[in-house]
Amino acid sequence: MPTIFIFFGFRFLFYSNDHEPIHVHVVKDDCEAKYNVCPVELVYNHGFKKQHLAIIESVIEENIEVITERWKVFFNK
């Protein structure tokens, strides 16, 4: 599971066997969410509160280029 970055304890990552569309998983404690990147869209949420999801979404929006580039490098796209 390659970690892209950690922000305030939220770990943004890919799974090594992930698939398109470009998306990111976010984990913290026992919670996990998955977001498509372009457009930023929540796919599922397991345990995060609304205020956490707002933080996560803003971090993804501010780092779309980083996430996309890391995806392309990791998956050779």
Side-chain angles (χ1 to χ4, degrees):
M1 294 187 294
T3 298
I4 306 164
F5 49 80
I6 298 173
F7 184 81
F8 290 121
F10 296 99
R11 183 175 169 210
F12 293 75
L13 58 99
F14 305 129
Y15 289 115
S16 59
N17 62 345
D18 263 340
H19 52 81
E20 292 188 3
I22 297 174
H23 61 275
V24 64
H25 299 267
V26 183
V27 295
K28 183 177 181 179
D29 301 327
D30 292 331
C31 302
E32 181 177 356
K34 175 181 172 183
Y35 279 87
N36 287 336
V37 173
C38 195
V40 176
E41 178 180 49
L42 178 64
V43 176
Y44 65 74
N45 171 33
H46 298 294
F48 284 118
K49 296 179 180 180
K50 285 187 178 186
Q51 64 266 34
H52 292 147
L53 294 175
I55 293 168
I56 292 167
E57 284 185 30
S58 67
V59 171
I60 293 170
E61 288 173 357
E62 292 177 16
N63 291 281
I64 286 175
E65 295 85 11
V66 171
I67 294 167
T68 302
E69 181 61 27
R70 296 264 177 98
W71 176 282
K72 289 177 180 179
V73 168
F74 186 80
F75 292 105
N76 296 316
K77 300 284 179 174

